Amino acid sequence: MYTTVNTSKNRTIIMVSLHSSLSNAPAKNAKQHFTRRSFLPDQQNVLWQIEKGFVRTFTYLEDGTTVALGLWGPGDIIGKVLSKMEPYQMECLTKVEVKSLLMENWYQAQETLLAHIQQAEELMVIRSYKKVDTMLIKLLAWLSKKFGLQVEQGRLIDMRLTHEDLAEMLGSTRVTITRILGQFEEEGLIDRLSLHRIVVREEDIWYYEI
């Protein structure tokens, strides 16, 4: 709602109703649901706390190359305000339920920033290996430890990560990732299931020759 106020010297001021501004702001702790491969809004001064599902954050270069910034799951807090990257995208890898947090009410700043810094360092180390197969086995080990579910065969990574997603995480190609995953499966390091799910055999991957 807008109110027009006439002033002297033929000036007109448009005043925005406070009620209107508040009604357009996201409700505190409001839960929202997003479908797989949809994007979380990058609303100003709003953070998203993931309740269910998994989200990847990324940017891309002028030539269109995708640069992975992070992978996040239940309990993690993400948002455009936490990054200097432009553009900054938050893509749902699965069905996702999130809770909105207004920046002015955010009281876990230190804990969340530390989590983002630590993950950035872990992914930087993984991407620093020279061989793609080493990077991939390290990435799978990291994913299984951080997000995996214990099953009879090992740790299940149920994040619906495609071969293209894994390639973008490591700066490689989909064809290369597909070939190496096949190699890992032949060697008994992983089991590939439907819907891009992977079971990592923890006891075996630590003996993988770097």
Side-chain angles (χ1 to χ4, degrees):
M1 176 180 177
Y2 297 88
T3 303
T4 302
V5 179
N6 293 321
T7 64
S8 60
K9 298 183 181 180
N10 298 320
R11 291 181 301 172
T12 301
I13 300 176
I14 305 298
M15 301 181 66
V16 181
S17 166
L18 177 60
H19 177 269
S20 176
S21 297
L22 290 176
S23 64
N24 290 331
K28 179 182 178 182
N29 294 333
K31 291 187 179 181
Q32 298 186 39
H33 295 82
F34 294 86
T35 59
R36 183 174 183 267
R37 295 301 175 182
S38 61
F39 292 84
L40 301 184
D42 57 351
Q43 295 173 316
Q44 188 176 9
N45 295 326
V46 173
L47 297 168
W48 301 104
Q49 183 171 36
I50 301 172
E51 300 278 302
K52 297 179 182 179
F54 300 96
V55 176
R56 71 164 182 157
T57 52
F58 66 92
T59 187
Y60 46 85
L61 308 180
E62 291 83 354
D63 63 0
T65 301
T66 299
V67 180
L69 299 175
L71 290 169
W72 312 96
D76 289 328
I77 296 175
I78 58 177
K80 175 68 172 67
V81 70
L82 298 175
S83 175
K84 289 291 186 180
M85 294 294 101
E86 187 61 47
Y88 180 84
Q89 300 288 327
M90 297 171 284
E91 183 183 22
C92 301
L93 294 170
T94 62
K95 291 181 180 179
V96 169
E97 178 182 313
V98 293
K99 179 171 62 177
S100 62
L101 304 173
L102 298 182
M103 192 65 183
E104 57 264 33
N105 298 323
W106 184 38
Y107 60 91
Q108 296 176 305
Q110 182 176 358
E111 180 181 343
T112 300
L113 290 173
L114 283 174
H116 279 248
I117 293 169
Q118 290 166 356
Q119 181 173 139
E121 289 180 340
E122 291 167 342
L123 293 176
M124 180 178 65
V125 170
I126 289 172
R127 289 188 288 237
S128 295
Y129 287 95
K130 295 181 179 180
K131 298 171 61 178
V132 178
D133 57 345
T134 303
M135 286 194 289
L136 183 55
I137 202 67
K138 293 291 185 181
L139 178 61
L140 293 177
W142 180 78
L143 290 172
S144 69
K145 182 178 180 180
K146 183 174 177 62
F147 302 111
L149 301 173
Q150 190 65 47
V151 295
E152 184 177 352
Q153 301 90 339
R155 298 281 292 181
L156 172 64
I157 303 173
D158 189 9
M159 300 177 67
R160 305 300 196 268
L161 285 165
T162 66
H163 295 184
E164 185 69 28
D165 292 331
L166 294 171
E168 290 175 352
M169 288 290 298
L170 301 176
S172 184
T173 66
R174 181 187 59 77
V175 173
T176 299
I177 295 300
T178 299
R179 176 180 58 79
I180 296 175
L181 286 175
Q183 171 189 323
F184 287 166
E185 191 167 29
E186 290 180 1
E187 295 176 1
L189 301 175
I190 65 171
D191 290 323
R192 287 188 290 178
L193 309 179
S194 60
L195 301 176
H196 304 293
R197 294 174 298 167
I198 297 175
V199 175
V200 176
R201 298 182 180 274
E202 288 184 292
E203 295 182 359
D204 295 323
I205 63 173
W206 304 119
Y207 298 100
Y208 184 79
E209 183 178 356
I210 299 176

